[in-house]
Amino acid sequence: MSVALQHHKKIYNPATAIAHPNIALIKYWGDLDPDLHIPSNGSISMSLGGLFTRTRVRFEDGLPDDRFVLNDKQADRQSSERVSKLLERVRQMSGTTCHALVESRNNFPTGVGIASSAAGFAALSLAATRAAGLELDEKALSRLARTGSGSACRSIPGGFVEWQAGGTDEASFAISIAPPGHWDLVDCIAVVSQEEKGVRSILGHTVAHTSLLQSARVENAPRRLKMCREAILRRDFEELAEVVELDSNLMHAVMITSNPPLFYWQPETMRIIQAIQSMRKAGLPVCYTVDAGPNVHALSPAESSVKITEMIGAISGVSQVMVAHPGGPARIETVQSEGERRE
Ligand code: PMV
């Protein structure tokens, strides 16, 4: 390579970001715009502290294509294309024409209904914009993350988060409605399967409208959002439990009545739900919610969570239990914190 070319070679510093997955308390299911992921209804979630995706992005002159390495392996074509699509948006915003190397790692199982795409696209949006020399505010980052995976917009802010459906690209983004310290709610995740699920949620959204029940679910969403938001703000567990279970059941009713029908539950899923119902009848504050996978998220106030985690771990078919308290927002990892991590 000539000296002149070397002289003009653009040097970009890499950037590393971490983001937490989130558990939806009021679910997003169905898109108005499947490309931009403008949702049919608003949703509310809690950031899952302790679980995270760490993503490093480096734009490089001369790279023939984007390269996406997930958990130390070259990612499959579908995932690589989704990552490239988001990088393309970043290239358009920043004016760079370089391709990027993206290295991402989850500290929790990928593709089993623990919203790995949410944490993944949130971390990617933050790391890629920073690596391209941009400094976006929270709203712009949330909108960008949304285009990768809808629920990723909720992994940009921290604590308890509401995604305002908005109806347009400009108006559809997530905000924090309460910081992580507001309420020590614990998500005890009962993992029943570590296999990749059959139908990814990104495809599920496109068939939600084929269920007769979707319009009723969407129409009633403002009432459930209000109940959930108020229960969080008042730290009212009973009220929260009622609306969280109803909302999860409504989403799964839509899933199994769509065309094609989508069954995410396994026999173990039902067994855990029934165990949670019995615990609640016996006076323990705990409720369930299930995403697009067979695992069950058992939510409870911190005071009861140790006992509940023990009881859930003892249910047959539960292969692993993960525990998460409310987490913070997506953030850039500094060189110093990388150093601390190695110690
Ligand atoms: O963002 P996606 O395409 O992974 O969709 C998320 C769908 C659910 O997890 C089932 C619900 C939600 O609101 O997170």
Side-chain angles (χ1 to χ4, degrees), residues 22-29 31 37 43-45 82 113 115 117-118 148-152 154 163 197 200-203 205 251-252 255 290-293:
N22 64 77
I23 179 62
L25 306 174
I26 299 296
K27 311 289 189 189
Y28 146 56
W29 196 248
D31 283 321
H37 301 143
S43 52
I44 293 182
S45 60
R82 284 178 74 185
S117 65
S149 173
S151 57
R154 297 190 313 241
W163 174 9
K197 64 197 170 191
R200 293 188 184 203
S201 47
I202 192 149
L203 291 177
H205 294 296
M251 180 182 73
H252 286 274
M255 288 164 160
V290 184
D291 272 350

Side-chain angles (χ1 to χ4, degrees), residues 166-181:
T168 61
D169 179 33
E170 167 67 26
S172 191
F173 59 93
I175 55 163
S176 179
I177 55 172

Side-chain angles (χ1 to χ4, degrees), residues 181-194:
H182 168 73
W183 192 9
D184 197 4
L185 206 61
V186 176
D187 183 7
C188 162
I189 308 163
V191 178
V192 301
S193 163
Q194 301 234 5

